[in-house]
């Protein structure tokens, strides 16, 4: 009987232990819940925001170029000969009418004397033949031949005098000698470029190579701003003065000239940049700061949009072109919506923020 009582007590104790364990499991299961992915912050997170706006109606075309005199004239001799003198060097300023270079005129002078003597002889012979023709001693054919010889002699005089006059190169205007291709004693041919003169009276221009699409958007007279670090720390006001009618065969670029205001500091060859404001083609896209984008993939990205309760929600947008510090948004945003501009690295979807406004 004692053994039976022990067994009964042991069985009762086992059931009690099992009941306690089951109760603990039940209580533990009731008191445990799934953890949140991310608890919402109770304190607003400061973040700089901006309002979505359409892309400006205007845009800026930027390009680099070289300062040149507006008119650069190539000069040379109209006859061949030996260079006797060159009076100026590259960079020298000259006045209109100044003699820049001259050929040895001794041969030309000898030819001129010979031509004058031949003219005198031919005219004297023509006078004699005229008298003989009146008296019937010579034929009309002989008279015509003598007359032709006299005319030819006078023509040679004119040709030789022209060669004498053009054996000197005179400055066609006030200017700067840009290029000197000749030296004393050198034999030059007729029509060879001996000197290049930049005409100061015509002013300086910034010559800029541009793509066909950019050049097509510019018109003569359009204002522009030119930056020349060697001349001024501020922008120079310029205007479009000329556009090439065809592209450069080697580069495919069109050269556009911007007329610069007068300045004694301007020199041919200086480097500069130009900014021209042109009308943008019609577009329904928006511009936002580039640093407002995260999670960028091909053609797409994410932004944090702020709702009316100052909570942020990420949204996918379609990306366009990057211009300066702004990024074009083709789809995904509407005008007037508020997005986070700075501080996106501290945020997650659903966070409460304290919006801060600042200039872009």
């Amino acid at each position: 009987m004692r053994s039976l009582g022990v067994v009964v007590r042991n069985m009762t104790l086992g059931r009690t232990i099992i009941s306690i364990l089951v109760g603990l499991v039940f209580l533990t299961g009731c008191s445990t819940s799934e953890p949140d992915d991310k608890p919402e912050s109770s304190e607003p997170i400061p973040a700089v925001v901006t309002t979505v706006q359409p892309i400006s109606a205007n845009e800026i075309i930027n390009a680099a170029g070289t300062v040149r005199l507006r008119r650069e004239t190539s000069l040379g001799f109209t006859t061949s000969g030996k260079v006797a003198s060159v009076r100026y060097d590259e960079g020298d300023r000259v006045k209109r009418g100044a003699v820049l270079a001259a050929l040895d005129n001794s041969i030309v002078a000898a030819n001129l004397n010979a031509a004058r003597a031949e003219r005198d002889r031919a005219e004297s012979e023509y006078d004699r033949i005229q008298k003989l023709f009146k008296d019937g001693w010579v034929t009309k054919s002989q008279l015509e031949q003598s007359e032709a010889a006299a005319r030819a002699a006078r023509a040679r005089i004119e040709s030789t005098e022209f060669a004498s006059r053009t054996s000197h190169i005179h400055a066609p205007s006030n200017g700067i000698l840009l290029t000197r291709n000749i030296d004393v004693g050198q034999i030059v041919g007729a029509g060879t470029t001996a000197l290049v003169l930049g005409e100061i009276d015509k002013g300086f221009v910034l010559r800029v190579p541009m793509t066909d699409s950019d050049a097509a958007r510019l018109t003569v007279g359009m204002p522009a701003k030119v930056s020349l670090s060697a001349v001024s720390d501020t922008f120079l006001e310029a205007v479009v003065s000329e556009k090439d009618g065809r592209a450069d065969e080697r580069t495919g670029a069109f050269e556009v000239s911007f007329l610069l205001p007068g300045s004694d500091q301007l020199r041919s060859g200086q480097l500069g940049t130009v900014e021209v404001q042109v009308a943008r083609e019609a577009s329904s896209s928006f511009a936002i700061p580039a640093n407002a984008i995260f999670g960028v993939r091909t053609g797409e990205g994410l932004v944090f949009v702020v709702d009316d309760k100052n909570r942020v929600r990420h949204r996918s947008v379609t990306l366009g072109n990057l211009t300066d510090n702004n990024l074009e948004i083709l789809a995904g945003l509407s005008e007037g919506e508020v997005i986070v501009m700075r501080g996106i690295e501290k945020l997650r979807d659903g966070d409460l923020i304290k919006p801060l406004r600042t200039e872009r």
Side-chain angles (χ1 to χ4, degrees):
M1 292 297 292
R2 179 180 297 178
S3 298
L4 179 62
V6 172
V7 171
V8 170
R9 283 198 300 271
N10 289 340
M11 291 179 62
T12 302
L13 180 61
R15 285 196 297 270
T16 303
I17 294 174
I18 292 173
S19 298
I20 293 172
L21 292 175
V22 171
L24 288 174
V25 171
F26 177 76
L27 291 174
T28 303
C30 291
S31 63
T32 303
S33 61
E34 292 295 328
D36 292 337
D37 292 338
K38 185 255 172 191
E40 292 184 349
S41 175
S42 58
E43 292 295 327
I45 302 173
V48 179
V49 299
T50 187
T51 302
V52 177
Q53 299 175 349
I55 288 181
S56 171
N58 296 321
E59 65 176 306
I60 302 296
I61 293 178
N62 294 284
T66 308
V67 174
R68 291 282 185 253
L69 283 157
R70 188 177 185 184
R71 290 288 179 268
E72 298 181 357
T73 306
S74 298
L75 305 173
F77 299 102
T78 57
T79 56
S80 301
K82 181 180 179 181
V83 178
S85 65
V86 183
R87 301 186 179 182
Y88 297 93
D89 290 319
E90 292 182 0
D92 289 346
R93 290 180 177 255
V94 299
K95 294 184 177 181
R96 181 191 300 272
V99 177
L100 305 180
L103 293 177
D104 184 349
N105 206 29
S106 56
I107 296 177
V108 176
N111 291 338
L112 180 59
N113 290 334
R116 286 171 177 170
E118 176 60 21
R119 178 198 61 188
D120 294 342
R121 187 202 66 77
E123 288 181 346
S124 177
E125 178 67 12
Y126 177 56
D127 290 340
R128 189 180 70 83
I129 294 296
Q130 276 185 314
K131 293 176 181 178
L132 292 175
F133 177 73
K134 290 179 181 179
D135 296 335
W137 293 101
V138 295
T139 64
K140 186 176 181 179
S141 175
Q142 290 175 310
L143 176 65
E144 291 174 346
Q145 289 177 0
S146 179
E147 181 182 9
R151 288 179 178 176
R154 288 193 290 270
R156 281 193 292 273
I157 285 287
E158 293 177 358
S159 175
T160 308
E161 288 178 342
F162 176 77
S164 178
R165 291 194 302 271
T166 57
S167 63
H168 295 72
I169 298 178
H170 296 268
S173 68
N174 297 330
I176 300 174
L177 193 63
L178 302 178
T179 304
R180 170 178 164 172
N181 297 325
I182 57 173
D183 287 305
V184 175
Q186 182 177 342
I187 304 299
V188 296
T192 301
T193 297
L195 307 167
V196 177
L197 181 70
E199 301 183 29
I200 298 177
D201 297 342
K202 302 297 183 180
F204 284 86
V205 295
L206 183 72
R207 293 184 180 170
V208 180
M210 289 188 170
T211 62
D212 53 353
S213 58
D214 284 345
R217 302 171 70 182
L218 304 182
T219 58
V220 174
M222 183 177 289
K225 292 183 178 180
V226 171
S227 175
L228 293 171
S229 58
V231 177
S232 174
D233 294 333
T234 60
F235 284 108
L236 302 178
E237 299 297 329
V239 295
V240 178
S241 58
E242 297 171 72
K243 290 175 32 175
D244 277 357
R246 64 178 180 179
D248 186 285
E249 294 181 356
R250 296 168 299 173
T251 64
F254 287 81
E255 189 171 77
V256 180
S257 296
F258 297 84
L259 182 61
L260 301 172
S263 172
D264 292 337
Q265 294 179 309
L266 289 173
R267 296 290 185 273
S268 186
Q270 291 171 332
L271 301 179
T273 58
V274 64
E275 294 183 3
V276 191
Q277 184 171 280
V278 297
R280 188 187 298 274
E281 298 177 358
S283 173
S284 59
S285 55
F286 303 96
I288 66 172
N291 55 2
I293 293 289
F294 65 97
V296 177
R297 295 178 296 176
T298 304
E300 295 182 349
L302 298 174
V303 296
F304 278 123
V305 180
V306 184
D307 62 19
D308 54 0
K309 296 181 180 179
N310 288 337
R311 290 197 178 273
V312 295
R313 303 294 177 186
H314 62 69
R315 185 186 298 176
S316 177
V317 294
T318 303
L319 307 180
N321 297 322
L322 178 65
T323 58
D324 297 331
N325 295 323
N326 291 331
L327 185 62
E328 183 182 18
I329 302 299
L330 304 178
L333 291 175
S334 301
E335 182 178 357
E337 287 189 303
V338 178
I339 62 172
V340 177
M341 175 179 166
R342 296 176 194 162
I344 59 175
E345 68 281 356
K346 303 176 183 179
L347 301 177
R348 283 184 285 183
D349 197 50
D351 276 347
L352 179 67
I353 69 166
K354 178 182 179 181
L356 302 175
R357 294 278 181 174
T358 186
E359 294 294 330
R360 288 190 184 182

